Amino acid sequence: MSANSALQILVNHCILFILLIISTSQSCLSISCIKSERDSLIDFRGGLTDPRSVLSSWTGSDCCAWHGVGCDNMTGHVVKLDLSNQHATDVNGYEYSLGGEIRPSLLGLKQLTYLDLSWNFFAQTPVPAFFGSLGRMIYLNLSNAGFGGNIPPQIGNITGLQYLDLDNNNGAAVDDVEWLYKLSSLEYLDLNGVDLKNASNWAQVMSTLPSLSVLRLQQCGLVSIPLALPNSYFTSLTILSLRVNNFNSMLPDWLFHINSLIHLDLSLSQFVGAIPDDFISKSSLVVLDLSYNHLQGKLPKTIGNLHNLQQLDLSNNEIGGEIPVTIGNLIMLQNLDLSWNNISGEIPSSIGNLKSLRRLVLTSNHIEGRIPKNMGNLCNLQTLDLSLNSISGSVESFSGCLGAHLVTLTIEGAKLDGHLSDQLLSQFSKLKTLDLNGNLLNGSIPASIGKLLSLTELNLGSNKLSGIIPSSIGQLSELERLDLSSNYFEGVVSEVHFAKLTKLKFLYLSSNLFTFRVSSQWVPPFQALDIRIGSCHLGPDFPAWLRSQTKFSFLDISNAKISDTVPNWFWNLSPPATFLNLSRNQMRGQLPHNALEFGSLQTVDLSSNQFVGPLPRLPSAVEDLLLSNNSFSGPIVLNITETKAGLRALFLSNNVIEGSIPSSICTRLLVNLDLSNNYLSGELPDCWATSPLDTINLANNNLSGAIPVSMGSIYSLKSLHLNNNGFSGEFPSSLNNSASLVVLDLGGNKLSGPIPIWIGESLPSLKVLRLQSNRFDGSIPPQLSHLSSLQVLDLAHNNLSGKIPPSFGNFSSMAVVQNTSEPLYISLYYDEVLLYATSMDLSNNGLSGEIPGQLTKLVGLQFLDLSWNRLTGQIPRSIGDLRVLESLYLSHNQLSGKIPQGITTLTSLVHFNLSYNELSGKIPLGNNPVEILKDPSVYIGNPNLCGYPLPVPCHVNEASKSIAPPTLMLKTGKMSLA
């Protein structure tokens, strides 16, 4: 045999040997599952419901090939069962999931180490206690599986368990966590959503687990947390989440001394008090979230010791003081959120050190001053929100590379001024959101705004911007929100301004001086959801381009100088509208009966137009209906009780509505009702007992009869206007229950009898009481002076007698000068004088006696009218104390003596009359008398007065002064100066 042949034989044998080895290996790898375990799995499947047929592969003899089953390659034992269903959803988004019964046949899998039943639904059945007998388990995931009841303590018998996840089994609970002591190998524990409110020793037990690295106890109802733990605790913990609990506790120091901790989330857990100031320099924290608590005090300087911190969220607390300079030490920080606190002072310049910062949010604090110049060094910043602070300075101060990666810039409601320059905008090439709403910006918008091609939101509303809108805005093809409202823009807005705005959803241009000039055939390239262009010039024709807008939910074209009829196509648009405002135009014509039934209208405002005809049918979803100041006629036949949500506000004032008020008006949801200034007649329905009304205004109609008793059962009532009707009877005693009343106006009716004493005790919130022009008699109750909030008292034109109560000097709200820029109470179409004035009118009665000197304590009075009574005695000497008095009427009484010198100090007087009394002596004028004091007619009928401005000199004897009254002296032209 040749050498070559021998070598060939050797090679062939080697090949056969290798093939034998491979064959043997493949035989070992293809070991089939053990029959008893296959039988256990089949029985286990028999208890489950399987709507997705995920277990359809569970057929045949080789269970190791079945879905979710994993076997040991050497022994064939089932070691893994993964039946999680996390990503399975149907076309409607509903999750298909396994359910049913988990049978004990699972115990037949003796070597099982991994079990995952997550994202299924077991209908609040308890976690099986027999799981505790799966002693080889190291991984158990039952999260999002719909288990309920108590978690069985037998799980503590799985002593080798390393991973336990029970997240989001919201019906599950643990009353005693002692069984966790046995799980010394546990590395991951997630009990999110499991009720632990009775497990008061949770921290003491869990802190002893030597291998525990991740602990998640979110939304567990925890109410207690120890302020101290033994020296050795949580030795391996890296992630701790306790968010959404109810601790109502100080922050325990030990939370910040876990050296291994990198992620700490304590948000939404009712923590109170100050943040501990002993952060240690060795801290490995990367994420710290203390947001949405009630933390107070200052942000400690030691926070600068957290050198590894990347995310810091302290938002929505009550933290005060300044941002410490040490914040600049956190050079790894990527996310800083201090919003919605009470932080004051300026932004420290050290913030410019945070070169890794991507998100900075300081919204809603008391931060003031200018933005530090070195903030321009934050080259990686993507989100900057400084809104709702007192940030000042020019927007042009942005410099450096700040805008290189900026995607969101929001500084809303601050004090920024200056111009939006080309240089400024050129920095923000990647900007998607630019929100500078509510600042002091001036100048115009530069044409370079059209270069911000990534912009999706442009909010420049409520500034002082002016000029025309650059047509380049129409090139922002990604723009979804455009807000230029409440500025001083002018000029024409045309089709070119919307040329490429195909994605526009929110259009806010209201309260400017724009004139829309578009073709009647123009079809906008966008379908807006929200259109607010009130107070822009859209008319005189109704805007035809709205015909293409079929998706809006909010439309405001109020005060737009439209004098057209509303075309029928508008009422047939059928958008999903919830808000419609066409008010303050000159729209005319009659509305179709079903005009308002398109969409799902909740608020409709057609007020202050020229609509005629009967009232339209109410939209089925309407909550607020405002039709005032039109010429709607006919009776009230609104289908109030048929509305779905329930009518909350109905304003029909200043129309030509007649007939009676239907009892259906007493819906249980109506809060504001205004039917004033119409031609309604008849008696009021007695149906108000269960009404939640806040305001009722039925003034200036022809209503009659008694005021219904049930009207006094409206406990929420704050404003009641029944004035200028024909109501009769006595003061309604049922109003004794209306303790919330702020405004009560019953004037101009036929009410009679005495004014009740109980008003002063039972209506403590009353600010306005008007009973004038009725038939009330008797004396004025002194108890009215108990109305400490009263600012308007009008009892004029009645039959009242007796004296003015001296206690009227005790009206405490009249004894201080009020802020005249704020109305007393926002009532509907109410007398402006009464809204803003502090007044007392007791005129045209039969009152007698002297004017109480105590009235001059009411130094906040602006109007005082005591005329046309029978008052005697002298004008109080201290009348000059009423320094803000604008009107003083004391005419047609029997007052005597000299006019007090203090009259000359009433420098605010506009209306004044002392005529027809028995006053005497020289008229005091002072050095610079107000004009009204120089009018001789205000002194007429006092024959014993003399001096300028009367033509009676004071040196003439008394006899001659009484011969001819001032009127005669004026007619003869014999005027001389005393």
Side-chain angles (χ1 to χ4, degrees):
M1 183 180 297
S2 68
N4 289 335
S5 299
L7 179 61
Q8 184 63 48
I9 292 172
L10 179 60
V11 168
N12 290 339
H13 278 86
C14 289
I15 291 173
L16 289 173
F17 180 72
I18 291 172
L19 290 174
L20 179 62
I21 293 176
I22 292 175
S23 175
T24 305
S25 175
Q26 287 178 336
S27 176
C28 292
L29 288 173
S30 61
I31 291 178
S32 180
C33 75
I34 298 171
K35 181 179 182 302
S36 61
E37 294 184 357
R38 182 177 65 246
D39 294 341
S40 294
L41 287 171
I42 291 174
D43 184 72
F44 169 70
R45 184 189 63 180
L48 299 176
T49 57
D50 184 12
R52 279 188 67 237
S53 300
V54 294
L55 304 183
S56 58
S57 65
W58 284 30
T59 58
S61 59
D62 188 4
C63 66
C64 294
W66 294 352
H67 169 77
V69 178
C71 296
D72 186 291
N73 289 333
M74 299 298 295
T75 66
H77 284 293
V78 175
V79 294
K80 181 177 182 179
L81 188 58
D82 185 353
L83 300 180
S84 60
N85 190 39
Q86 188 169 355
H87 303 294
T89 57
D90 67 4
V91 291
N92 296 314
Y94 296 107
E95 292 190 353
Y96 289 107
S97 52
L98 297 174
E101 175 193 4
I102 299 177
R103 292 181 176 176
S105 53
L106 206 58
L107 294 176
L109 308 179
K110 304 290 187 182
Q111 304 297 319
L112 194 66
T113 61
Y114 186 110
L115 176 60
D116 191 341
L117 298 177
S118 62
W119 295 94
N120 289 290
F121 185 68
F122 291 99
Q124 299 298 302
T125 58
V127 174
F130 68 76
F131 277 5
S133 299
L134 297 170
R136 292 183 176 271
M137 197 90 69
I138 60 173
Y139 182 100
L140 178 59
N141 189 348
L142 305 179
S143 63
N144 297 280
F147 287 109
N150 284 330
I151 302 298
Q154 288 87 344
I155 289 180
N157 296 333
I158 314 175
T159 55
L161 199 62
Q162 298 175 15
Y163 186 104
L164 176 58
D165 191 347
L166 297 169
D167 177 28
N168 201 28
N169 286 285
N170 294 326
V174 173
D175 292 334
D176 186 351
V177 294
E178 296 283 334
W179 52 271
L180 285 171
Y181 274 128
K182 303 177 184 179
L183 304 181
S184 58
S185 300
L186 200 62
E187 298 176 5
Y188 184 102
L189 177 60
D190 190 336
L191 298 180
N192 287 346
V194 176
D195 187 352
L196 298 178
K197 65 176 178 292
N198 295 324
S200 58
N201 62 337
W202 65 271
Q204 290 86 344
V205 173
M206 297 177 189
S207 66
T208 65
L209 301 177
S211 302
L212 191 62
S213 176
V214 176
L215 177 59
R216 303 185 186 276
L217 302 178
Q218 175 181 324
Q219 206 169 353
C220 291
L222 293 170
V223 295
S224 63
I225 185 170
L227 294 180
L229 284 176
N231 291 332
S232 179
Y233 59 89
F234 289 124
T235 53
S236 301
L237 200 61
T238 59
I239 296 177
L240 174 60
S241 176
L242 300 177
R243 69 188 313 263
V244 196
N245 283 290
N246 301 293
F247 293 117
N248 194 28
S249 165
M250 304 279 287
L251 285 171
D253 287 349
W254 58 263
L255 286 170
F256 302 99
H257 290 274
I258 304 174
N259 291 335
S260 56
L261 201 61
I262 61 173
H263 185 123
L264 177 60
D265 188 348
L266 306 178
S267 59
L268 289 154
S269 289
Q270 306 294 321
F271 282 109
V272 299
I275 299 174
D277 60 1
D278 58 347
F279 289 112
I280 56 175
S281 59
K282 293 187 300 181
S283 175
S284 55
L285 272 177
V286 173
V287 175
L288 176 59
D289 190 344
L290 302 177
S291 62
Y292 290 92
N293 282 290
H294 303 288
L295 300 175
Q296 299 172 330
K298 297 181 179 181
L299 193 59
K301 295 179 181 179
T302 51
I303 200 162
N305 295 334
L306 303 178
H307 299 297
N308 293 308
L309 206 60
Q310 295 180 16
Q311 296 187 43
L312 175 60
D313 191 346
L314 303 177
S315 63
N316 291 274
N317 280 285
E318 299 159 31
I319 299 169
E322 298 184 357
I323 300 174
V325 175
T326 55
I327 201 81
N329 298 340
L330 308 180
I331 59 174
M332 303 293 290
L333 205 60
Q334 297 179 14
N335 184 353
L336 175 59
D337 192 342
L338 303 178
S339 61
W340 298 96
N341 278 287
N342 297 317
I343 296 170
S344 58
E346 298 185 358
I347 301 173
S349 59
S350 62
I351 208 156
N353 299 336
L354 307 181
K355 302 295 179 60
S356 300
L357 204 60
R358 296 181 180 176
R359 182 173 182 269
L360 174 59
V361 182
L362 302 178
T363 313
S364 191
N365 280 285
H366 305 292
I367 299 171
E368 56 190 4
R370 297 176 177 269
I371 298 172
K373 290 184 178 180
N374 63 351
M375 189 179 283
N377 298 331
L378 303 181
C379 303
N380 293 303
L381 202 62
Q382 297 176 6
T383 298
L384 174 60
D385 191 343
L386 305 179
S387 301
L388 303 176
N389 282 287
S390 297
I391 301 293
S392 60
S394 172
V395 291
E396 297 176 56
S397 62
F398 292 103
S399 60
C401 58
L402 176 65
H405 294 92
L406 207 60
V407 173
T408 301
L409 174 59
T410 308
I411 312 181
E412 183 177 347
K415 298 179 180 178
L416 290 176
D417 57 19
H419 302 284
L420 291 169
S421 64
D422 289 323
Q423 182 180 4
L424 173 68
L425 295 179
S426 65
Q427 300 178 52
F428 303 134
S429 59
K430 297 183 180 179
L431 206 62
K432 291 186 177 181
T433 297
L434 176 58
D435 187 349
L436 301 176
N437 189 71
N439 280 281
L440 304 173
L441 301 179
N442 52 62
S444 58
I445 300 177
S448 58
I449 194 79
K451 296 179 180 179
L452 302 182
L453 297 178
S454 298
L455 211 59
T456 61
E457 293 191 25
L458 176 59
N459 300 332
L460 300 177
S462 300
N463 279 284
K464 297 182 177 181
L465 296 167
S466 59
I468 62 173
I469 302 301
S471 58
S472 61
I473 261 184
Q475 302 301 308
L476 302 178
S477 58
E478 298 297 317
L479 201 64
E480 298 177 6
R481 183 186 184 95
L482 175 61
D483 185 355
L484 304 179
S485 61
S486 299
N487 279 287
Y488 301 104
F489 293 119
E490 57 189 0
V492 172
V493 173
S494 65
E495 300 171 16
V496 70
H497 290 92
F498 304 101
K500 295 184 180 180
L501 305 189
T502 58
K503 297 182 179 180
L504 193 66
K505 297 291 186 293
F506 303 91
L507 176 61
Y508 301 156
L509 301 179
S510 58
S511 299
N512 281 289
L513 302 174
F514 291 130
T515 296
F516 267 70
R517 191 172 295 162
V518 295
S519 164
S520 58
Q521 283 78 42
W522 180 56
V523 177
F526 55 81
Q527 278 288 342
L529 304 179
D530 195 336
I531 304 173
R532 307 187 190 198
I533 47 179
S535 299
C536 294
H537 189 168
L538 303 179
D541 297 334
F542 193 88
W545 58 269
L546 286 175
R547 191 167 193 167
S548 67
Q549 300 299 298
T550 59
K551 296 183 180 181
F552 65 84
S553 62
F554 195 113
L555 176 63
D556 180 1
I557 54 172
S558 62
N559 193 28
K561 299 182 180 180
I562 300 173
S563 55
D564 198 1
T565 57
V566 181
N568 286 332
W569 59 255
F570 179 76
W571 304 119
N572 296 324
L573 281 180
S574 300
T578 60
F579 183 99
L580 176 65
N581 188 354
L582 308 182
S583 68
R584 294 179 293 152
N585 284 287
Q586 294 86 45
M587 297 183 192
R588 59 186 190 274
Q590 183 171 328
L591 300 181
H593 181 60
N594 61 344
L596 304 180
E597 293 187 348
F598 72 102
S600 302
L601 286 174
Q602 298 174 8
T603 298
V604 179
D605 190 351
L606 306 183
S607 60
S608 300
N609 279 288
Q610 299 172 14
F611 292 119
V612 298
L615 295 169
R617 183 178 176 84
L618 263 68
S620 61
V622 71
E623 298 179 10
D624 303 288
L625 181 64
L626 295 82
L627 303 179
S628 299
N629 298 301
N630 282 286
S631 296
F632 289 112
S633 58
I636 299 176
V637 291
L638 299 174
N639 51 322
I640 295 174
T641 56
E642 297 177 18
T643 58
K644 295 177 182 178
L647 198 63
R648 299 182 310 178
L650 178 61
F651 296 170
L652 302 179
S653 68
N654 290 285
N655 280 286
V656 198
I657 299 171
E658 56 190 5
S660 59
I661 296 177
S663 58
S664 61
I665 209 79
C666 300
T667 169
R668 295 188 178 187
L669 295 173
L670 197 63
V671 175
N672 291 298
L673 174 65
D674 187 358
L675 306 179
S676 63
N677 295 285
N678 281 289
Y679 295 90
L680 296 167
S681 59
E683 297 187 1
L684 289 179
D686 194 5
C687 60
W688 310 91
T690 59
S691 173
L693 277 160
D694 178 275
T695 299
I696 300 176
N697 192 349
L698 306 178
N700 299 300
N701 280 286
N702 299 317
L703 300 168
S704 58
I707 297 173
V709 173
S710 60
M711 196 161 274
S713 301
I714 310 175
Y715 297 107
S716 57
L717 192 62
K718 292 183 177 65
S719 187
L720 177 60
H721 309 267
L722 302 179
N723 48 299
N724 299 321
N725 281 284
F727 292 113
S728 58
E730 295 191 348
F731 190 99
S733 59
S734 61
L735 292 180
N736 189 14
N737 300 317
S738 303
S740 298
L741 267 178
V742 176
V743 176
L744 175 60
D745 192 343
L746 303 180
N749 284 289
K750 301 176 182 178
L751 299 171
S752 58
I755 296 175
I757 294 173
W758 53 259
I759 292 179
E761 303 293 341
S762 301
L763 306 179
S765 301
L766 214 57
K767 290 186 177 183
V768 176
L769 177 61
R770 293 190 74 195
L771 304 178
Q772 92 289 351
S773 301
N774 278 284
R775 300 171 182 175
F776 291 114
D777 55 25
S779 59
I780 300 176
Q783 291 84 353
L784 291 182
S785 63
H786 296 161
L787 299 173
S788 60
S789 299
L790 198 70
Q791 292 177 227
V792 174
L793 176 63
D794 189 348
L795 306 180
H797 293 274
N798 280 287
N799 301 318
L800 300 171
S801 57
K803 298 181 178 181
I804 298 174
S807 62
F808 272 22
N810 297 331
F811 286 119
S812 54
S813 287
M814 297 185 188
V816 293
V817 178
Q818 300 292 331
N819 182 357
T820 56
S821 65
E822 297 180 3
L824 301 181
Y825 183 71
I826 304 299
S827 51
L828 308 173
Y829 303 106
Y830 201 52
D831 190 330
E832 184 178 352
V833 173
L834 292 181
L835 275 175
Y836 294 94
T838 303
S839 64
M840 182 184 295
D841 190 348
L842 307 180
S843 64
N844 289 273
N845 280 288
L847 300 175
S848 58
E850 297 186 353
I851 299 175
Q854 289 88 339
L855 290 187
T856 62
K857 296 179 181 179
L858 306 180
V859 297
L861 268 182
Q862 295 169 269
F863 299 86
L864 177 61
D865 191 348
L866 304 179
S867 62
W868 293 92
N869 279 290
R870 301 170 187 167
L871 300 173
T872 58
Q874 298 186 4
I875 300 173
R877 290 185 180 181
S878 52
I879 193 74
D881 292 344
L882 304 179
R883 295 296 176 87
V884 299
L885 205 61
E886 299 175 17
S887 296
L888 176 61
Y889 297 102
L890 301 178
S891 65
H892 295 86
N893 280 288
Q894 300 166 21
L895 300 172
S896 59
K898 295 183 177 182
I899 300 174
Q901 185 70 30
I903 289 288
T904 64
T905 65
L906 301 180
T907 56
S908 298
L909 273 182
V910 179
H911 306 283
F912 174 70
N913 201 330
L914 300 181
S915 64
Y916 297 102
N917 279 286
E918 299 173 8
L919 300 169
S920 60
K922 181 180 178 180
I923 297 172
L925 290 180
N927 295 327
N928 296 297
V930 295
E931 287 299 314
I932 191 65
L933 294 180
K934 296 186 286 185
D935 182 356
S937 67
V938 303
Y939 306 105
I940 193 171
N942 291 279
N944 296 320
L945 285 178
C946 61
Y948 181 78
L950 294 179
V952 182
C954 286
H955 65 267
V956 180
N957 60 47
E958 295 295 321
S960 64
K961 282 193 295 182
S962 62
I963 292 173
T967 50
L968 180 59
M969 297 293 287
L970 285 168
K971 289 178 181 177
T972 59
K974 296 179 180 180
M975 179 181 289
S976 61
L977 300 179

